[in-house]
Amino acid sequence: MSELVTYSQSGKIGILTLNSPPVNGLGLPLRRAIKAGYENALADDGVQAIIITSAGKLFCGGADISEFGSPDAIAEPHLPMVLEQLEKSPKPVIAAINGAALGGGLELALACDYRFAHPKAKLGLPEVHLGILPGGGGTQRLPRLAGAETAVKMITSGIPVSAAQALQAGFVDEVASDDGDFLTEAVEYVKELLAIDAPLRSCADMEVDTSKLPENFFAEFRNSIARQTRGYYAPERCIQAVEAAIELPLAEGLKREQELFLECVQTPQARAQQHLFFAERANTKVPGVDPKTPARPINSVAVIGSGTMGGGIAMNFINAGIPTTLLDLNGEALDRGIGVIRTNYEISAKKGKLSVEQIKQRMGLLKGTTSYDDLKEVDLVIEAVFEDMAIKKQVFETLDKVCKPGAILATNTSTLDVNEIASATSRPEDVIGLHFFSPANVMKLLEIVRGARTADDVIVTSLQMAKAIRKVPVVVGVCFGFVGNRMVECYGREGARMVLEGASPAQIDRALTEFGMAMGFCSMADLAGGDVGYLVRESRRDELAHDPTYAVIADKLYELGRYGQKTGRGFYIYEGREQKEDPEVVQLASDLAAELGVEQREISDQEIVERMIFSMINEGARILEEGIASRSSDIDLVYLYGYGFPAWRGGPMQYADETGLAYILAALQSYRERLGEHGKHWFQPAPLLEKLVADNKNFNDFAGLT
Ligand code: NAD
């Protein structure tokens, strides 16, 4: 028999042990081996019951992702066939779930007669995260075993449950002890089943128990998840599949599940979500850097500047148990910064997310200082002082003098040249950009900015550090604004310009949120602060001088002291938490437009979305061509985790691929012609976009060429 499944026997019990590391992915070879192993045990007259378990830490992680989209994924025996065979077994089959059982892994267990689980096992059906539904009977068997409510919640959320929860829900029959030998206990359990002549239990003989299901359950459930699933295709099909489990006998329900599964597989949402799944596995591969390069140890960290960013950055490290020194030259600012951190924890404690003891422990890892002497021994320093090159250089000169050899010196700058900052030290190889997003303790994105001379092991260490503090890292090159802010600049430019051309902030925001953005541009600008945007524009006035209309409405609001939420007025008026439209902004825009000779007109929602999102995509093409990002999927991660781009669209570059690059190019060309001087200057298509269209390729293909 294949070594992918090993066979052993304990008395009258045959034991099939899955042995296909790392996750027992149910690819064709493993499916064949399970089938062969089962048939072998079935044919053995000495065997009365069959256990399926695993040799690894996981029981089974589900489908083999490397098989996705290939003919092997549906080659026979495909998963439904294998499971049907197990389900119809004349000898009882028992899943001994020794660790996580996810997706097809849980479906395998559900097709067995009984389930015996390790207390630490997690059981779940996460397919919805890939834009699909469980296609191996999960939507039909789980409701029969656990009830429709548990099943529909697990399947639409994709969130796994513990063995204890599964026991209570009824789809695990027994949980092993905490400290015993798992397999020995599993064998004992099966012996007991044989001793009492426990019956075979096939889901085909069961109906979904709806006696306790509240009236209107499905309608109310749909309402309850409507907001968070807006735009996604699979969740509704998951619900329909569970409804089918109630209405149809198993065999027909399984057919319905297959139909719904195939519908999901062919959607742009499934392609987008799977693209992101792979994006999150590709982002740590950095061109020219050997991933096996040994990392430097990071056992202590210092953060310089205890303002908005410094405090949030420090929290990431103390949350991960790493002692952190927070330095600010201004003692009052330091006290304030530490106070904000404490308050943040206290808010979490009030919500029941942290205990008093945990707050004490975390605050115990934080040390405030105003002296650089306290930074002598730290392994990593992250600078988050004012966005001013002269100040940053001074800080790095000091760090160069104070820090031990090998310490990593990082800057959190949003826009400044990391190479120039590095030049203030005698060790540019130790300097890197670590660009966190605000609020830094919440936002998952970390742009790792690779300077011209940054050492490979500094990059590898930064990637590992990102994982330790649970961020999603994307390695980018040095340019103004890196990937995220460079692209968002185009988006904001068009947003502000369209307010000038006659769209109201509310219309702009509505068009964007309907597209799927978590927040509209004008609301986002008000949240970030009009003063922040103004300072960035100030640093680029020379470059922008040719366009007197550039963000003039935002400049005007700044002049009026309307910085957004922090001053109660910006693109909108804020009263407490309430955001109201401000008719004055529309009037200001109209006056400015008249002054600058910009014609005001009705602007369609389609134009809003296209000008803002397509401009951003065009800049993304330049970023790719310049090698600032290594692959289009990295850009997509930046937008997913840093800017609230809808995951079901897969990020701006995947959205472009899905829309068709030829369409995007034609739209850019058309705006270039229609928008006069503005169009001529800002809607020049990126050469890479033109080339990909000419070659009939997409951005994802370009990733393949680098
Ligand atoms: P901030 O003004 O809130 O805080 C800066 C802190 O640095 C202040 O407490 C100040 O006292 C301290 N400081 C100034 N000079 C110092 C010095 N020489 N030594 C020690 N401390 C000094 O600023 P912020 O918003 O936290 O931004 C900090 C950095 O992070 C900037 O480079 C900014 O571009 C970048 N950044 C900001 C955001 C954001 O949304 N605010 C997002 C990403 C990156």
Side-chain angles (χ1 to χ4, degrees):
M1 189 192 306
S2 156
E3 59 183 13
L4 292 179
V5 172
T6 55
Y7 184 70
S8 59
Q9 214 167 310
S10 175
K12 293 172 183 158
I13 301 166
I15 304 170
L16 302 177
T17 303
L18 312 188
N19 188 21
S20 177
V23 300
N24 286 323
L26 290 161
L28 182 59
L30 183 59
R31 297 197 302 269
R32 280 194 183 128
I34 294 172
K35 181 174 158 61
Y38 162 73
E39 285 168 1
N40 182 48
L42 187 68
D44 185 339
D45 287 341
V47 169
Q48 290 182 2
I50 302 161
I51 287 179
I52 300 181
T53 190
S54 136
K57 262 175 87 176
L58 275 83
F59 172 69
C60 173
D64 179 353
I65 53 166
S66 64
E67 231 180 37
F68 272 20
S70 81
D72 279 1
I74 46 168
E76 295 187 359
H78 50 64
L79 187 61
M81 279 172 81
V82 176
L83 301 190
E84 191 186 351
Q85 192 177 19
L86 295 176
E87 185 160 61
K88 290 187 171 155
S89 170
K91 294 180 184 177
V93 183
I94 296 90
I97 305 167
N98 55 307
L102 300 172
L106 178 56
E107 290 176 308
L108 170 65
L110 295 176
C112 297
D113 295 272
Y114 294 87
R115 283 150 292 279
F116 180 80
H118 190 281
K120 292 212 174 96
K122 291 268 180 217
L123 302 95
L125 294 170
E127 286 83 347
V128 73
H129 297 311
L130 297 176
I132 53 176
L133 52 78
T139 67
Q140 303 304 300
R141 294 191 179 99
L142 189 60
R144 283 175 162 79
L145 293 163
E149 189 168 351
T150 302
V152 82
K153 282 183 182 160
M154 280 180 66
I155 295 168
T156 54
S157 72
I159 300 170
V161 299
S162 66
Q165 287 167 314
L167 179 70
Q168 202 188 8
F171 65 101
V172 154
D173 301 290
E174 183 121 349
V175 176
S177 70
D178 282 328
D179 47 6
D181 178 70
F182 178 74
L183 190 58
T184 309
E185 288 189 25
V187 168
E188 279 311 308
Y189 171 70
V190 177
K191 276 188 188 159
E192 282 165 29
L193 290 178
L194 289 175
I196 60 167
D197 215 4
L200 294 172
R201 283 197 318 175
S202 158
C203 281
D205 304 326
M206 296 178 199
E207 284 190 355
V208 181
D209 177 7
T210 54
S211 60
K212 293 197 194 85
L213 208 58
E215 216 181 311
N216 288 334
F217 169 75
F218 284 103
E220 277 164 27
F221 183 73
R222 281 185 166 92
N223 277 341
S224 73
I225 63 164
R227 230 174 81 91
Q228 74 259 35
T229 58
R230 196 169 65 99
Y232 291 88
Y233 187 85
E236 168 58 25
R237 275 74 210 169
C238 292
I239 299 174
Q240 289 175 15
V242 175
E243 285 174 324
I246 296 174
E247 289 153 16
L248 302 173
L250 183 70
E252 282 178 48
L254 289 173
K255 270 193 210 138
R256 182 74 190 124
E257 179 189 83
Q258 273 310 300
E259 288 164 10
L260 291 165
F261 175 81
L262 290 174
E263 269 180 35
C264 288
V265 167
Q266 289 157 8
T267 59
Q269 286 92 331
R271 285 190 288 274
Q273 290 178 262
Q274 288 169 28
H275 166 78
L276 290 171
F277 177 86
F278 288 109
E280 286 197 47
R281 279 144 189 84
N283 62 336
T284 51
K285 295 182 190 102
V286 184
V289 176
D290 180 353
K292 292 201 191 91
T293 307
R296 302 185 189 179
I298 303 289
N299 296 316
S300 58
V301 172
V303 178
I304 305 186
S306 63
T308 313
M309 293 306 287
I313 294 170
M315 283 177 77
N316 288 306
F317 291 97
I318 51 182
N319 290 348
I322 301 171
T324 302
T325 305
L326 185 59
L327 181 148
D328 205 298
L329 289 187
N330 177 335
E332 268 173 39
L334 180 64
D335 291 343
R336 208 170 34 243
I338 293 177
V340 170
I341 294 178
R342 182 179 291 283
T343 307
N344 282 342
Y345 283 139
E346 281 164 358
I347 293 170
S348 297
K350 275 200 192 116
K351 290 183 189 157
K353 289 182 186 161
L354 274 184
S355 67
V356 175
E357 189 47 45
Q358 278 171 315
I359 299 182
K360 216 172 128 191
Q361 191 194 1
R362 290 190 192 185
M363 291 308 290
L365 289 169
L366 182 69
K367 180 181 161 193
T369 183
T370 53
S371 164
Y372 276 90
D373 277 349
D374 288 327
L375 268 48
K376 277 186 186 148
E377 294 304 322
V378 295
D379 297 319
L380 164 68
V381 184
I382 301 173
E383 164 279 311
V385 305
F386 301 135
E387 185 78 341
D388 178 307
M389 182 56 91
I391 301 180
K392 301 237 188 231
K393 277 180 147 175
Q394 204 180 9
V395 168
F396 275 77
E397 260 172 47
T398 313
L399 291 175
D400 193 26
K401 287 193 196 107
V402 175
C403 293
K404 68 180 182 187
I408 294 178
L409 311 179
T411 172
N412 181 50
T413 181
S414 309
T415 54
L416 300 175
D417 183 341
V418 174
N419 294 327
E420 193 178 338
I421 295 174
S423 74
T425 72
S426 63
R427 37 175 143 171
E429 65 282 3
D430 293 340
V431 178
I432 195 162
L434 293 177
H435 184 212
F436 291 79
F437 287 70
S438 182
N441 54 318
V442 177
M443 296 298 285
K444 304 267 299 170
L445 177 64
L446 179 67
E447 279 184 334
I448 296 181
V449 188
R450 178 183 194 178
R453 296 183 57 190
T454 307
D456 288 0
D457 65 345
V458 172
I459 296 170
V460 169
T461 308
S462 300
L463 285 165
Q464 285 190 9
M465 176 279 294
K467 196 172 173 200
I469 61 170
R470 303 170 76 179
K471 297 288 178 198
V472 177
V474 175
V475 178
V476 301
V478 176
C479 66
F480 178 84
F482 315 121
V483 169
N485 286 339
R486 175 168 161 184
M487 282 169 71
V488 91
E489 189 262 337
C490 312
Y491 174 84
R493 178 196 71 223
E494 287 309 304
R497 168 77 193 202
M498 282 188 278
V499 174
L500 196 65
E501 291 176 24
S504 71
Q507 190 201 351
I508 302 256
D509 285 0
R510 197 190 56 240
L512 293 168
T513 50
E514 273 172 15
F515 172 79
M517 298 301 288
M519 196 186 258
F521 158 70
C522 299
S523 302
M524 187 180 89
D526 277 357
L527 178 68
D531 50 336
V532 175
Y534 181 81
L535 288 180
V536 175
R537 287 193 295 283
E538 275 297 280
S539 69
R540 303 177 65 220
R541 285 294 175 205
D542 291 350
E543 260 174 83
L544 303 173
H546 65 88
D547 182 357
T549 71
Y550 188 95
V552 276
I553 183 69
D555 284 349
K556 186 76 190 171
L557 293 173
Y558 175 81
E559 269 171 39
L560 294 169
R562 299 182 190 174
Y563 298 171
Q565 285 196 19
K566 63 175 95 166
T567 58
R569 205 162 178 184
F571 280 104
Y572 294 94
I573 296 172
Y574 296 88
E575 282 167 11
R577 287 179 151 213
E578 207 190 333
Q579 181 189 64
K580 285 188 174 165
E581 286 190 51
D582 187 344
E584 259 190 47
V585 173
V586 175
Q587 188 55 49
L588 284 172
S590 152
D591 295 347
L592 283 168
E595 222 172 273
L596 293 159
V598 172
E599 186 202 343
Q600 286 210 319
R601 62 190 165 91
E602 278 236 340
I603 296 181
S604 70
D605 287 3
Q606 181 184 354
E607 180 171 342
I608 292 173
V609 169
E610 289 191 351
R611 281 174 61 182
M612 295 181 78
I613 306 279
F614 291 6
S615 297
M616 207 162 82
I617 291 166
N618 198 34
E619 197 61 30
R622 292 201 180 94
I623 282 172
L624 265 186
E625 194 164 26
E626 290 167 25
I628 296 295
S630 325
R631 52 188 80 83
S632 66
S633 64
D634 279 359
I635 300 178
D636 289 332
L637 287 181
V638 167
Y639 269 82
L640 179 71
Y641 289 110
Y643 297 85
F645 203 92
W648 56 271
R649 290 204 189 269
M653 308 312 269
Q654 167 70 15
Y655 167 68
D657 284 349
E658 190 68 45
T659 304
L661 298 193
Y663 180 87
I664 309 262
L665 177 62
L668 290 170
Q669 280 161 339
S670 142
Y671 289 120
R672 186 169 157 76
E673 277 161 29
R674 279 161 49 195
L675 296 173
E677 274 307 302
H678 180 82
K680 218 185 276 172
H681 186 80
W682 296 113
F683 281 83
Q684 168 74 46
L688 176 66
L689 178 60
E690 288 176 325
K691 184 169 172 9
L692 289 173
V693 171
D695 295 351
N696 203 13
K697 290 205 161 106
N698 61 30
F699 288 129
N700 233 345
D701 295 326
F702 184 71
L705 302 178
T706 54

